[in-house]
Amino acid sequence: MKERKYGRIVNIASLAARAGGPGQSHYAASKSAVVGFTRVSSMEFGSYGITVNAVCPGIIVTEMGMNNLRDPERVAYFEKVTDLHRLGQPRGRRRARCVLCV
């Protein structure tokens, strides 16, 4: 990428990096590390024409995602703290990554 003076790096973090909930300390810490790594990497590689971004989705409506949300109060909390105020759909993740790679 440096030799070509062009590149796109997209890291996957999580809403937990900024709004983790109870019982998520280990997950929130690891996703915060991804966000920090992304920030520093963008500074290091920007002069080479390489962009570095992170996608931070909230809870995605999948079997795994919904395992964390059996309590309606937790669903309401996560809907409140996400930018779009709703749970995410699997196809939305692909769109966000594709936009950043153009």
Side-chain angles (χ1 to χ4, degrees):
M1 284 188 220
K2 283 183 177 180
E3 291 172 2
R4 291 188 317 228
K5 300 258 188 233
Y6 179 86
R8 301 291 182 258
I9 299 170
V10 180
N11 296 318
I12 308 299
S14 170
L15 174 68
R18 71 168 194 194
Q24 291 187 319
S25 59
H26 60 290
Y27 186 73
S30 68
K31 295 305 180 175
S32 293
V34 171
V35 171
F37 175 75
T38 301
R39 282 190 187 124
V40 173
S41 295
S42 68
M43 290 184 258
E44 290 180 8
F45 300 124
S47 63
Y48 296 99
I50 301 168
T51 63
V52 186
N53 292 282
V55 177
C56 298
I59 297 289
I60 305 297
V61 180
T62 62
E63 184 178 336
M64 185 178 99
M66 297 312 290
N67 280 338
N68 295 320
L69 296 175
R70 294 194 176 113
D71 178 5
E73 287 182 20
R74 283 181 59 89
V75 172
Y77 168 77
F78 281 108
E79 288 176 336
K80 178 180 156 189
V81 299
T82 61
D83 294 332
L84 297 176
H85 303 291
R86 63 175 173 77
L87 300 180
Q89 298 297 319
R91 69 179 182 275
R93 296 180 299 176
R94 286 188 295 268
R95 289 182 190 152
R97 291 190 306 257
C98 289
V99 166
L100 293 171
C101 290
V102 176

